[in-house]
Amino acid sequence: MRVLVVTAVAAERDAVAAAAGPCDETALPGGYALRRAAGAPVALDVLAAGVGPAAAAAGTATALTAATLAGAPYDLVVSAGIGGGFAPGAPLGSVVVADAIVAADLGAETPDGFTPVTELGFGTVAHRPDPALVKAVAAAAGAAAGTVVTVSTVTGSAARTAELAARHPGVLAEAMEGFGVAEAAAAHGVPVLEIRTVSNAVGPRDRGAWRIGAALTALTGAFRTLPGALTAATGPAPEPHHP
């Protein structure tokens, strides 16, 4: 099984790669550098694509296209990294696996409040990963499963936190890339997951309370459990056929 993991920044990429073992580096078009760990039965390629949904979509699409042209397409794409957690479901240091990857601010402000782009007759605002896969990966990582929202502006107030929680019941975390990764994966017909570890509480910004190091350590731990979870959920890879 070939898995593409897309993070925003190098620190997240390195945390994922630390779980995968020794990595080679491969250059992709656009100046991207892919860390490649050829493990069995799951091979992980890890890419730091940049911050925000647009950068995430561009980097993911580049890697997916390059793999297809090379005759070795991916079986799964995972958006991964640290993010903010909504209390009380996602405390600091915890792991969240998205059962819905939702664009929280893709739409229009109206006199009656926010209207998602789907209600305007365009596109989508949500991708829903395979429930069986979400369950297996969450169980292996000791993670909670719930909605992860993608935002272009990180939440920094109690009012905005309450608004997001009301609009997205069951939301556990926010980050800035998942929806972009999911859009690119969907365009290529590849399943998607999102895995986040919680570095800070969603709400008023208090950098002194953030636990980025602990969240990166938790990210490594979560990805150590991923190959076993994927193998259990999807079964062993078929043996090559030799006529």
Side-chain angles (χ1 to χ4, degrees):
M1 181 180 217
R2 298 195 68 234
V3 178
L4 172 65
V5 183
V6 182
T7 71
V9 298
E12 295 166 322
R13 177 201 63 201
D14 294 347
V16 173
C23 294
D24 296 325
E25 190 162 292
T26 300
L28 294 178
Y32 298 104
L34 194 70
R35 296 282 177 87
R36 175 162 287 165
V42 176
L44 288 183
D45 287 358
V46 192
L47 174 68
V51 174
T60 303
T62 298
L64 289 172
T65 300
T68 298
L69 292 175
Y74 291 104
D75 302 294
L76 177 69
V77 180
V78 183
S79 176
I82 65 176
F86 285 82
L92 296 186
S94 65
V95 184
V96 173
V97 178
D99 62 12
I101 302 169
V102 179
D105 47 17
L106 183 60
E109 288 291 341
T110 76
D112 298 319
F114 178 79
T115 300
V117 73
T118 47
E119 294 184 20
L120 301 174
F122 305 103
T124 184
V125 293
H127 292 275
R128 299 189 181 277
D130 176 61
L133 199 54
V134 170
K135 183 177 180 181
V137 170
T147 297
V148 177
V149 291
T150 299
V151 296
S152 295
T153 301
V154 172
T155 299
S157 69
R160 175 64 171 165
T161 303
E163 179 187 348
L164 286 175
R167 194 189 303 156
H168 305 286
V171 64
L172 290 180
E174 77 166 18
M176 301 182 76
E177 293 79 31
F179 186 77
V181 173
E183 284 280 273
H188 283 257
V190 182
V192 69
L193 288 174
E194 184 169 7
I195 300 173
R196 294 284 166 183
T197 55
V198 178
S199 59
N200 58 281
V202 176
R205 289 171 66 80
D206 178 6
R207 291 297 297 267
W210 289 19
R211 298 292 179 265
I212 291 175
L216 291 171
T217 298
L219 192 62
T220 301
F223 271 86
R224 287 196 176 112
T225 71
L226 184 67
L230 295 179
T231 301
T234 62
E239 293 294 327
H241 176 66
H242 300 289

